[in-house]
Amino acid sequence: MTRRRIGQACAGVALVGGFCVAQTAPAQAAAPDYPVGGSASGYASWVSTPDANPPGVNVPCTPSAAHPRPVVLLEGTTSRITHSFARIGPLLADQGYCVYGLNYGDTQLTASTGGVIGAMGDIPTSARQVSGFVDKVLAQTGAAKVDIVGWSQGGGPLPRYYLQNLGGASKVDSLVGLAPSNYGTSFFGVLSLIGAVQNATGVDFLSASGAPAFDQQLNTSPFTKALNAHGDTVPGVHYTVIETRLDDVVTPYTNAFLKGPGATNIVLQQQCPLDGTDHLGIIYDNNAIQDVLNALGPRVPNFKPSCQAALPLVGTPGLGGLPG
């Protein structure tokens, strides 16, 4: 995939070989070339500037005929968009997409950590934030619908609640989830144990501490059961789940998968045996990002990415874009 670079501009004429040359038709502006981050820059920006936007994200934009739907990025639990989408955000923008992202679900933990810890609030409340944000993106861009790309909570229960309960299905064409917690998680039994203690004591200390989203993502939680009680997809929306067998947060990893009509479930290791990424590294995994691009369009059936080695925590090592 070729990334397009921004060129110098001449007043009313084109720059050719370093000289301004008049042409019979105006030259078409090239798409921006935003710096693409990796895990190191993503984690660093998360700590140093947690409210920053990744390059190319939340930049005023008019959708093109090739990419008529803006992409809305939704972070994972505890994260911020500057970390969750340090690689995906600029790559999508460089491909010509209008890209927007939202930091949602702030709680007292967000304030007490200087804005670092986010996406911990009550999921239905966060979904209402997403609803308002999508409406603003549609109004600003003039688009009829958006696509959503999310990680963990942001790719599963949060946008699915919006689609099911807040009228989002009429405004969203595709939901692409990276390691989403669609059927909740036991976190290797740890969250299940916490839930049992809370039930026994009658004290919901996760919610009291500013982390109700943890409670709600339990595989046994009332929220998770209600979300999936009447089917896990909504007609008219395309769903793509991209998951790693080595997911160490959504456990078992199969809890990421959707069962309803319109859903495509992808296991990275079936596409690329070199892929050793986990839950935290998948957002920097170029194999997974190629699947994201295919899910946004052209949606080639049985698509397989150009296989690259990927590691836990860091995904595809280093900075940079996708294979050419």
Side-chain angles (χ1 to χ4, degrees), residues 37-55 79-87 113-116 283-284 313-314 319:
S39 57
S41 62
Y43 283 108
S45 64
W46 187 18
V47 174
S48 62
T49 53
D51 290 328
N53 293 314
S79 187
R80 309 293 271 177
I81 59 171
T82 189
H83 161 248
S84 293
F85 302 110
R87 176 165 287 181
T113 58
V116 173
I283 51 176
Y284 301 108
L313 299 178
V314 301
L319 302 173

PDB file of all heavy atoms in Angstrom, residues 37-55 79-87 113-116 283-284 313-314 319:
ATOM      1  N   GLY A  37       2.991   6.442  14.299  1.00  0.00           N
ATOM      2  CA  GLY A  37       3.633   6.066  15.547  1.00  0.00           C
ATOM      3  C   GLY A  37       3.754   4.565  15.739  1.00  0.00           C
ATOM      4  O   GLY A  37       3.241   3.760  14.952  1.00  0.00           O
ATOM      5  N   GLY A  38       4.428   4.210  16.777  1.00  0.00           N
ATOM      6  CA  GLY A  38       4.552   2.830  17.208  1.00  0.00           C
ATOM      7  C   GLY A  38       4.239   2.731  18.680  1.00  0.00           C
ATOM      8  O   GLY A  38       3.782   3.697  19.307  1.00  0.00           O
ATOM      9  N   SER A  39       4.504   1.576  19.260  1.00  0.00           N
ATOM     10  CA  SER A  39       4.148   1.384  20.661  1.00  0.00           C
ATOM     11  C   SER A  39       4.910   2.337  21.582  1.00  0.00           C
ATOM     12  O   SER A  39       4.338   2.869  22.540  1.00  0.00           O
ATOM     13  CB  SER A  39       4.396  -0.068  21.073  1.00  0.00           C
ATOM     14  OG  SER A  39       5.743  -0.432  20.832  1.00  0.00           O
ATOM     15  N   ALA A  40       6.184   2.588  21.286  1.00  0.00           N
ATOM     16  CA  ALA A  40       6.977   3.459  22.167  1.00  0.00           C
ATOM     17  C   ALA A  40       6.420   4.873  22.179  1.00  0.00           C
ATOM     18  O   ALA A  40       6.224   5.474  23.251  1.00  0.00           O
ATOM     19  CB  ALA A  40       8.439   3.461  21.721  1.00  0.00           C
ATOM     20  N   SER A  41       6.142   5.422  20.991  1.00  0.00           N
ATOM     21  CA  SER A  41       5.614   6.783  20.940  1.00  0.00           C
ATOM     22  C   SER A  41       4.193   6.836  21.487  1.00  0.00           C
ATOM     23  O   SER A  41       3.783   7.820  22.108  1.00  0.00           O
ATOM     24  CB  SER A  41       5.646   7.312  19.501  1.00  0.00           C
ATOM     25  OG  SER A  41       4.819   6.534  18.653  1.00  0.00           O
ATOM     26  N   GLY A  42       3.420   5.758  21.265  1.00  0.00           N
ATOM     27  CA  GLY A  42       2.059   5.715  21.779  1.00  0.00           C
ATOM     28  C   GLY A  42       2.012   5.723  23.293  1.00  0.00           C
ATOM     29  O   GLY A  42       1.253   6.492  23.902  1.00  0.00           O
ATOM     30  N   TYR A  43       2.819   4.877  23.917  1.00  0.00           N
ATOM     31  CA  TYR A  43       2.847   4.847  25.380  1.00  0.00           C
ATOM     32  C   TYR A  43       3.401   6.159  25.943  1.00  0.00           C
ATOM     33  O   TYR A  43       2.921   6.659  26.967  1.00  0.00           O
ATOM     34  CB  TYR A  43       3.693   3.675  25.864  1.00  0.00           C
ATOM     35  CG  TYR A  43       2.998   2.334  25.769  1.00  0.00           C
ATOM     36  CD1 TYR A  43       3.384   1.392  24.819  1.00  0.00           C
ATOM     37  CD2 TYR A  43       1.947   1.995  26.619  1.00  0.00           C
ATOM     38  CE1 TYR A  43       2.742   0.161  24.716  1.00  0.00           C
ATOM     39  CE2 TYR A  43       1.301   0.774  26.523  1.00  0.00           C
ATOM     40  CZ  TYR A  43       1.706  -0.142  25.572  1.00  0.00           C
ATOM     41  OH  TYR A  43       1.059  -1.360  25.470  1.00  0.00           O
ATOM     42  N   ALA A  44       4.407   6.733  25.275  1.00  0.00           N
ATOM     43  CA  ALA A  44       4.996   7.984  25.759  1.00  0.00           C
ATOM     44  C   ALA A  44       3.986   9.118  25.723  1.00  0.00           C
ATOM     45  O   ALA A  44       3.867   9.902  26.678  1.00  0.00           O
ATOM     46  CB  ALA A  44       6.225   8.328  24.932  1.00  0.00           C
ATOM     47  N   SER A  45       3.237   9.232  24.625  1.00  0.00           N
ATOM     48  CA  SER A  45       2.256  10.315  24.520  1.00  0.00           C
ATOM     49  C   SER A  45       1.113  10.114  25.502  1.00  0.00           C
ATOM     50  O   SER A  45       0.540  11.084  26.016  1.00  0.00           O
ATOM     51  CB  SER A  45       1.713  10.407  23.091  1.00  0.00           C
ATOM     52  OG  SER A  45       1.008   9.229  22.737  1.00  0.00           O
ATOM     53  N   TRP A  46       0.772   8.872  25.783  1.00  0.00           N
ATOM     54  CA  TRP A  46      -0.285   8.567  26.750  1.00  0.00           C
ATOM     55  C   TRP A  46       0.049   9.162  28.111  1.00  0.00           C
ATOM     56  O   TRP A  46      -0.807   9.740  28.788  1.00  0.00           O
ATOM     57  CB  TRP A  46      -0.445   7.052  26.838  1.00  0.00           C
ATOM     58  CG  TRP A  46      -1.597   6.561  27.662  1.00  0.00           C
ATOM     59  CD1 TRP A  46      -2.698   7.249  28.065  1.00  0.00           C
ATOM     60  CD2 TRP A  46      -1.759   5.234  28.163  1.00  0.00           C
ATOM     61  NE1 TRP A  46      -3.541   6.435  28.795  1.00  0.00           N
ATOM     62  CE2 TRP A  46      -2.981   5.191  28.864  1.00  0.00           C
ATOM     63  CE3 TRP A  46      -0.987   4.078  28.084  1.00  0.00           C
ATOM     64  CZ2 TRP A  46      -3.444   4.033  29.493  1.00  0.00           C
ATOM     65  CZ3 TRP A  46      -1.448   2.919  28.699  1.00  0.00           C
ATOM     66  CH2 TRP A  46      -2.660   2.909  29.394  1.00  0.00           C
ATOM     67  N   VAL A  47       1.296   9.057  28.510  1.00  0.00           N
ATOM     68  CA  VAL A  47       1.720   9.546  29.822  1.00  0.00           C
ATOM     69  C   VAL A  47       1.960  11.054  29.805  1.00  0.00           C
ATOM     70  O   VAL A  47       1.579  11.768  30.730  1.00  0.00           O
ATOM     71  CB  VAL A  47       2.990   8.804  30.279  1.00  0.00           C
ATOM     72  CG1 VAL A  47       3.526   9.401  31.570  1.00  0.00           C
ATOM     73  CG2 VAL A  47       2.706   7.316  30.467  1.00  0.00           C
ATOM     74  N   SER A  48       2.589  11.546  28.726  1.00  0.00           N
ATOM     75  CA  SER A  48       3.005  12.946  28.709  1.00  0.00           C
ATOM     76  C   SER A  48       1.892  13.898  28.288  1.00  0.00           C
ATOM     77  O   SER A  48       1.759  15.000  28.839  1.00  0.00           O
ATOM     78  CB  SER A  48       4.211  13.121  27.779  1.00  0.00           C
ATOM     79  OG  SER A  48       3.873  12.767  26.446  1.00  0.00           O
ATOM     80  N   THR A  49       1.096  13.503  27.299  1.00  0.00           N
ATOM     81  CA  THR A  49       0.019  14.368  26.777  1.00  0.00           C
ATOM     82  C   THR A  49      -1.219  13.524  26.543  1.00  0.00           C
ATOM     83  O   THR A  49      -1.614  13.282  25.392  1.00  0.00           O
ATOM     84  CB  THR A  49       0.455  15.063  25.473  1.00  0.00           C
ATOM     85  OG1 THR A  49       0.915  14.070  24.540  1.00  0.00           O
ATOM     86  CG2 THR A  49       1.555  16.070  25.727  1.00  0.00           C
ATOM     87  N   PRO A  50      -1.876  13.062  27.600  1.00  0.00           N
ATOM     88  CA  PRO A  50      -2.969  12.095  27.442  1.00  0.00           C
ATOM     89  C   PRO A  50      -4.170  12.608  26.664  1.00  0.00           C
ATOM     90  O   PRO A  50      -4.938  11.810  26.131  1.00  0.00           O
ATOM     91  CB  PRO A  50      -3.351  11.757  28.887  1.00  0.00           C
ATOM     92  CG  PRO A  50      -2.845  12.898  29.709  1.00  0.00           C
ATOM     93  CD  PRO A  50      -1.608  13.370  29.017  1.00  0.00           C
ATOM     94  N   ASP A  51      -4.360  13.915  26.587  1.00  0.00           N
ATOM     95  CA  ASP A  51      -5.510  14.457  25.858  1.00  0.00           C
ATOM     96  C   ASP A  51      -5.164  14.853  24.420  1.00  0.00           C
ATOM     97  O   ASP A  51      -6.007  15.423  23.718  1.00  0.00           O
ATOM     98  CB  ASP A  51      -6.088  15.668  26.594  1.00  0.00           C
ATOM     99  CG  ASP A  51      -6.783  15.273  27.896  1.00  0.00           C
ATOM    100  OD1 ASP A  51      -7.351  14.166  27.940  1.00  0.00           O
ATOM    101  OD2 ASP A  51      -6.750  16.057  28.857  1.00  0.00           O
ATOM    102  N   ALA A  52      -3.961  14.539  23.970  1.00  0.00           N
ATOM    103  CA  ALA A  52      -3.552  14.901  22.612  1.00  0.00           C
ATOM    104  C   ALA A  52      -4.231  14.006  21.586  1.00  0.00           C
ATOM    105  O   ALA A  52      -4.637  12.874  21.889  1.00  0.00           O
ATOM    106  CB  ALA A  52      -2.035  14.789  22.482  1.00  0.00           C
ATOM    107  N   ASN A  53      -4.351  14.506  20.381  1.00  0.00           N
ATOM    108  CA  ASN A  53      -4.855  13.711  19.263  1.00  0.00           C
ATOM    109  C   ASN A  53      -3.689  13.077  18.518  1.00  0.00           C
ATOM    110  O   ASN A  53      -2.663  13.722  18.313  1.00  0.00           O
ATOM    111  CB  ASN A  53      -5.627  14.589  18.277  1.00  0.00           C
ATOM    112  CG  ASN A  53      -6.912  15.141  18.853  1.00  0.00           C
ATOM    113  OD1 ASN A  53      -7.680  14.411  19.476  1.00  0.00           O
ATOM    114  ND2 ASN A  53      -7.159  16.422  18.645  1.00  0.00           N
ATOM    115  N   PRO A  54      -3.826  11.834  18.082  1.00  0.00           N
ATOM    116  CA  PRO A  54      -2.809  11.292  17.185  1.00  0.00           C
ATOM    117  C   PRO A  54      -2.753  12.118  15.905  1.00  0.00           C
ATOM    118  O   PRO A  54      -3.752  12.749  15.526  1.00  0.00           O
ATOM    119  CB  PRO A  54      -3.314   9.866  16.896  1.00  0.00           C
ATOM    120  CG  PRO A  54      -4.286   9.563  17.984  1.00  0.00           C
ATOM    121  CD  PRO A  54      -4.907  10.876  18.355  1.00  0.00           C
ATOM    122  N   PRO A  55      -1.615  12.139  15.221  1.00  0.00           N
ATOM    123  CA  PRO A  55      -1.531  12.900  13.962  1.00  0.00           C
ATOM    124  C   PRO A  55      -2.622  12.475  12.982  1.00  0.00           C
ATOM    125  O   PRO A  55      -2.866  11.290  12.772  1.00  0.00           O
ATOM    126  CB  PRO A  55      -0.134  12.535  13.423  1.00  0.00           C
ATOM    127  CG  PRO A  55       0.655  12.181  14.643  1.00  0.00           C
ATOM    128  CD  PRO A  55      -0.320  11.514  15.569  1.00  0.00           C
ATOM    129  N   SER A  79      -7.491   3.486  28.527  1.00  0.00           N
ATOM    130  CA  SER A  79      -6.610   4.144  27.562  1.00  0.00           C
ATOM    131  C   SER A  79      -7.125   5.518  27.161  1.00  0.00           C
ATOM    132  O   SER A  79      -8.119   6.023  27.691  1.00  0.00           O
ATOM    133  CB  SER A  79      -6.436   3.236  26.348  1.00  0.00           C
ATOM    134  OG  SER A  79      -5.471   3.755  25.460  1.00  0.00           O
ATOM    135  N   ARG A  80      -6.414   6.144  26.219  1.00  0.00           N
ATOM    136  CA  ARG A  80      -6.808   7.387  25.560  1.00  0.00           C
ATOM    137  C   ARG A  80      -6.516   7.218  24.071  1.00  0.00           C
ATOM    138  O   ARG A  80      -5.712   6.361  23.678  1.00  0.00           O
ATOM    139  CB  ARG A  80      -6.035   8.594  26.111  1.00  0.00           C
ATOM    140  CG  ARG A  80      -6.044   8.716  27.622  1.00  0.00           C
ATOM    141  CD  ARG A  80      -7.410   9.012  28.176  1.00  0.00           C
ATOM    142  NE  ARG A  80      -7.703  10.436  28.254  1.00  0.00           N
ATOM    143  CZ  ARG A  80      -8.879  10.920  28.665  1.00  0.00           C
ATOM    144  NH1 ARG A  80      -9.864  10.104  28.993  1.00  0.00           N
ATOM    145  NH2 ARG A  80      -9.075  12.213  28.727  1.00  0.00           N
ATOM    146  N   ILE A  81      -7.110   8.054  23.231  1.00  0.00           N
ATOM    147  CA  ILE A  81      -6.908   7.865  21.793  1.00  0.00           C
ATOM    148  C   ILE A  81      -5.458   8.112  21.386  1.00  0.00           C
ATOM    149  O   ILE A  81      -4.983   7.523  20.415  1.00  0.00           O
ATOM    150  CB  ILE A  81      -7.856   8.736  20.951  1.00  0.00           C
ATOM    151  CG1 ILE A  81      -7.682  10.225  21.244  1.00  0.00           C
ATOM    152  CG2 ILE A  81      -9.289   8.299  21.137  1.00  0.00           C
ATOM    153  CD1 ILE A  81      -8.457  11.129  20.270  1.00  0.00           C
ATOM    154  N   THR A  82      -4.733   8.949  22.126  1.00  0.00           N
ATOM    155  CA  THR A  82      -3.338   9.210  21.761  1.00  0.00           C
ATOM    156  C   THR A  82      -2.491   7.947  21.854  1.00  0.00           C
ATOM    157  O   THR A  82      -1.509   7.790  21.121  1.00  0.00           O
ATOM    158  CB  THR A  82      -2.742  10.327  22.640  1.00  0.00           C
ATOM    159  OG1 THR A  82      -1.466  10.703  22.132  1.00  0.00           O
ATOM    160  CG2 THR A  82      -2.601   9.887  24.098  1.00  0.00           C
ATOM    161  N   HIS A  83      -2.880   7.027  22.736  1.00  0.00           N
ATOM    162  CA  HIS A  83      -2.190   5.746  22.867  1.00  0.00           C
ATOM    163  C   HIS A  83      -2.825   4.681  21.989  1.00  0.00           C
ATOM    164  O   HIS A  83      -2.144   3.980  21.239  1.00  0.00           O
ATOM    165  CB  HIS A  83      -2.217   5.289  24.334  1.00  0.00           C
ATOM    166  CG  HIS A  83      -1.957   3.837  24.518  1.00  0.00           C
ATOM    167  ND1 HIS A  83      -2.925   2.952  24.953  1.00  0.00           N
ATOM    168  CD2 HIS A  83      -0.851   3.095  24.328  1.00  0.00           C
ATOM    169  CE1 HIS A  83      -2.420   1.739  25.028  1.00  0.00           C
ATOM    170  NE2 HIS A  83      -1.164   1.793  24.650  1.00  0.00           N
ATOM    171  N   SER A  84      -4.148   4.567  22.049  1.00  0.00           N
ATOM    172  CA  SER A  84      -4.839   3.497  21.332  1.00  0.00           C
ATOM    173  C   SER A  84      -4.644   3.577  19.818  1.00  0.00           C
ATOM    174  O   SER A  84      -4.626   2.547  19.140  1.00  0.00           O
ATOM    175  CB  SER A  84      -6.347   3.554  21.630  1.00  0.00           C
ATOM    176  OG  SER A  84      -6.634   3.257  22.975  1.00  0.00           O
ATOM    177  N   PHE A  85      -4.475   4.786  19.286  1.00  0.00           N
ATOM    178  CA  PHE A  85      -4.481   4.946  17.831  1.00  0.00           C
ATOM    179  C   PHE A  85      -3.287   5.735  17.309  1.00  0.00           C
ATOM    180  O   PHE A  85      -3.378   6.413  16.286  1.00  0.00           O
ATOM    181  CB  PHE A  85      -5.802   5.574  17.397  1.00  0.00           C
ATOM    182  CG  PHE A  85      -6.986   4.757  17.820  1.00  0.00           C
ATOM    183  CD1 PHE A  85      -7.850   5.206  18.820  1.00  0.00           C
ATOM    184  CD2 PHE A  85      -7.215   3.508  17.280  1.00  0.00           C
ATOM    185  CE1 PHE A  85      -8.927   4.426  19.235  1.00  0.00           C
ATOM    186  CE2 PHE A  85      -8.281   2.722  17.692  1.00  0.00           C
ATOM    187  CZ  PHE A  85      -9.140   3.186  18.670  1.00  0.00           C
ATOM    188  N   ALA A  86      -2.149   5.611  18.002  1.00  0.00           N
ATOM    189  CA  ALA A  86      -0.933   6.273  17.538  1.00  0.00           C
ATOM    190  C   ALA A  86      -0.502   5.771  16.169  1.00  0.00           C
ATOM    191  O   ALA A  86       0.094   6.510  15.384  1.00  0.00           O
ATOM    192  CB  ALA A  86       0.204   6.052  18.548  1.00  0.00           C
ATOM    193  N   ARG A  87      -0.804   4.510  15.852  1.00  0.00           N
ATOM    194  CA  ARG A  87      -0.471   3.963  14.540  1.00  0.00           C
ATOM    195  C   ARG A  87      -1.678   3.985  13.599  1.00  0.00           C
ATOM    196  O   ARG A  87      -1.583   4.438  12.461  1.00  0.00           O
ATOM    197  CB  ARG A  87       0.067   2.541  14.669  1.00  0.00           C
ATOM    198  CG  ARG A  87       0.359   1.866  13.324  1.00  0.00           C
ATOM    199  CD  ARG A  87       1.213   0.630  13.462  1.00  0.00           C
ATOM    200  NE  ARG A  87       2.591   0.980  13.781  1.00  0.00           N
ATOM    201  CZ  ARG A  87       3.573   0.096  13.949  1.00  0.00           C
ATOM    202  NH1 ARG A  87       3.317  -1.204  13.845  1.00  0.00           N
ATOM    203  NH2 ARG A  87       4.791   0.496  14.233  1.00  0.00           N
ATOM    204  N   THR A 113      -5.487  10.969  37.931  1.00  0.00           N
ATOM    205  CA  THR A 113      -4.269  10.548  37.219  1.00  0.00           C
ATOM    206  C   THR A 113      -3.841  11.565  36.167  1.00  0.00           C
ATOM    207  O   THR A 113      -3.058  11.243  35.269  1.00  0.00           O
ATOM    208  CB  THR A 113      -4.474   9.177  36.540  1.00  0.00           C
ATOM    209  OG1 THR A 113      -5.576   9.254  35.622  1.00  0.00           O
ATOM    210  CG2 THR A 113      -4.733   8.093  37.573  1.00  0.00           C
ATOM    211  N   GLY A 114      -4.344  12.787  36.274  1.00  0.00           N
ATOM    212  CA  GLY A 114      -3.953  13.813  35.326  1.00  0.00           C
ATOM    213  C   GLY A 114      -4.437  13.550  33.911  1.00  0.00           C
ATOM    214  O   GLY A 114      -3.812  13.984  32.942  1.00  0.00           O
ATOM    215  N   GLY A 115      -5.557  12.851  33.793  1.00  0.00           N
ATOM    216  CA  GLY A 115      -6.136  12.574  32.487  1.00  0.00           C
ATOM    217  C   GLY A 115      -5.627  11.323  31.823  1.00  0.00           C
ATOM    218  O   GLY A 115      -6.019  11.021  30.689  1.00  0.00           O
ATOM    219  N   VAL A 116      -4.781  10.559  32.483  1.00  0.00           N
ATOM    220  CA  VAL A 116      -4.173   9.381  31.854  1.00  0.00           C
ATOM    221  C   VAL A 116      -5.161   8.222  31.759  1.00  0.00           C
ATOM    222  O   VAL A 116      -5.272   7.561  30.718  1.00  0.00           O
ATOM    223  CB  VAL A 116      -2.909   8.948  32.619  1.00  0.00           C
ATOM    224  CG1 VAL A 116      -2.369   7.625  32.083  1.00  0.00           C
ATOM    225  CG2 VAL A 116      -1.834  10.028  32.522  1.00  0.00           C
ATOM    226  N   ILE A 283      -3.197  -3.200  18.630  1.00  0.00           N
ATOM    227  CA  ILE A 283      -3.427  -1.882  18.043  1.00  0.00           C
ATOM    228  C   ILE A 283      -2.207  -1.370  17.278  1.00  0.00           C
ATOM    229  O   ILE A 283      -2.296  -0.383  16.548  1.00  0.00           O
ATOM    230  CB  ILE A 283      -3.842  -0.858  19.117  1.00  0.00           C
ATOM    231  CG1 ILE A 283      -2.862  -0.875  20.287  1.00  0.00           C
ATOM    232  CG2 ILE A 283      -5.268  -1.098  19.569  1.00  0.00           C
ATOM    233  CD1 ILE A 283      -3.133   0.170  21.344  1.00  0.00           C
ATOM    234  N   TYR A 284      -1.053  -2.038  17.446  1.00  0.00           N
ATOM    235  CA  TYR A 284       0.157  -1.686  16.710  1.00  0.00           C
ATOM    236  C   TYR A 284       0.573  -2.799  15.746  1.00  0.00           C
ATOM    237  O   TYR A 284       1.698  -2.812  15.261  1.00  0.00           O
ATOM    238  CB  TYR A 284       1.302  -1.413  17.683  1.00  0.00           C
ATOM    239  CG  TYR A 284       1.029  -0.307  18.665  1.00  0.00           C
ATOM    240  CD1 TYR A 284       0.786  -0.582  20.008  1.00  0.00           C
ATOM    241  CD2 TYR A 284       1.004   1.028  18.252  1.00  0.00           C
ATOM    242  CE1 TYR A 284       0.525   0.441  20.912  1.00  0.00           C
ATOM    243  CE2 TYR A 284       0.743   2.046  19.147  1.00  0.00           C
ATOM    244  CZ  TYR A 284       0.507   1.749  20.479  1.00  0.00           C
ATOM    245  OH  TYR A 284       0.250   2.767  21.362  1.00  0.00           O
ATOM    246  N   LEU A 313       2.618  -6.774  23.423  1.00  0.00           N
ATOM    247  CA  LEU A 313       2.783  -5.394  23.891  1.00  0.00           C
ATOM    248  C   LEU A 313       3.083  -4.405  22.771  1.00  0.00           C
ATOM    249  O   LEU A 313       2.560  -3.296  22.770  1.00  0.00           O
ATOM    250  CB  LEU A 313       3.884  -5.273  24.958  1.00  0.00           C
ATOM    251  CG  LEU A 313       3.676  -6.062  26.245  1.00  0.00           C
ATOM    252  CD1 LEU A 313       4.879  -5.879  27.161  1.00  0.00           C
ATOM    253  CD2 LEU A 313       2.420  -5.605  26.956  1.00  0.00           C
ATOM    254  N   VAL A 314       3.927  -4.775  21.803  1.00  0.00           N
ATOM    255  CA  VAL A 314       4.402  -3.807  20.811  1.00  0.00           C
ATOM    256  C   VAL A 314       3.835  -4.044  19.421  1.00  0.00           C
ATOM    257  O   VAL A 314       4.009  -3.210  18.534  1.00  0.00           O
ATOM    258  CB  VAL A 314       5.941  -3.783  20.745  1.00  0.00           C
ATOM    259  CG1 VAL A 314       6.534  -3.420  22.085  1.00  0.00           C
ATOM    260  CG2 VAL A 314       6.498  -5.117  20.256  1.00  0.00           C
ATOM    261  N   LEU A 319       8.483   2.015  14.150  1.00  0.00           N
ATOM    262  CA  LEU A 319       7.561   2.976  13.577  1.00  0.00           C
ATOM    263  C   LEU A 319       7.280   2.611  12.137  1.00  0.00           C
ATOM    264  O   LEU A 319       7.909   1.737  11.561  1.00  0.00           O
ATOM    265  CB  LEU A 319       8.174   4.389  13.643  1.00  0.00           C
ATOM    266  CG  LEU A 319       8.552   4.896  15.040  1.00  0.00           C
ATOM    267  CD1 LEU A 319       9.282   6.220  14.891  1.00  0.00           C
ATOM    268  CD2 LEU A 319       7.323   5.078  15.906  1.00  0.00           C
TER     269      LEU A 319
END
